[in-house]
Amino acid sequence: MNPEERKARLDKMVAYLTSKGLTDKPFNVSATVKVKPESLEKVLKAAEKEVEETRKEPGNTYYQICQSLADPCTFYAFEAWPNVKAFVDHGLSDHHQEFAELLDTCLDGLPSFNFCVGLYNGQPEKTQDKGHKEENC
């Protein structure tokens, strides 16, 4: 995928989020990508940098890339953004463009993206069943 195609995909995501009324509201993103086995080490190294740099972004609420235990070539990204602008700023950032460009050469199939909103916007209260230690719950 070239930069213009990536920008068109980002524009499509923004249009979707806007249609759901999330322009100025928090939302979450999950992405799934599968990479070719011969690209695994390259992707692992690049993912570390992507996470590190994204977490520095002023608009980022949460960002993590996880590797599947069942299939080491499958990765899941979990993201939280306070609004669409922060998401777009991330998508257009130099470090993300560099990561996306690398991924484009390593993908084994198309990535998938899911958008969602939290049902509970606060810190859950800790509850503990009487008679049980917390670590056993």
Side-chain angles (χ1 to χ4, degrees), residues 68-83:
S68 171
L69 294 175
D71 177 5
C73 290
T74 299
F75 293 85
Y76 304 95
F78 300 101
E79 312 173 22
W81 301 98
N83 53 48

Side-chain angles (χ1 to χ4, degrees), residues 40-104:
L40 186 57
E41 290 305 315
K42 198 170 20 173
V43 171
L44 285 168
K45 185 176 178 181
E48 182 178 357
K49 180 181 177 192
E50 172 71 357
V51 170
E52 184 178 298
E53 293 301 315
T54 300
R55 288 179 177 174
K56 293 177 188 175
E57 293 177 26
N60 178 252
T61 305
Y62 181 81
Y63 195 85
Q64 180 64 277
I65 297 176
C66 301
Q67 185 179 27
S68 171
L69 294 175
D71 177 5
C73 290
T74 299
F75 293 85
Y76 304 95
F78 300 101
E79 312 173 22
W81 301 98
N83 53 48
V84 169
K85 182 185 179 323
F87 176 69
V88 170
D89 289 348
H90 165 69
L92 297 176
S93 68
D94 290 342
H95 71 88
H96 183 71
Q97 288 294 312
E98 183 180 310
F99 183 63
E101 190 174 309
L102 171 81
L103 272 184
D104 285 343

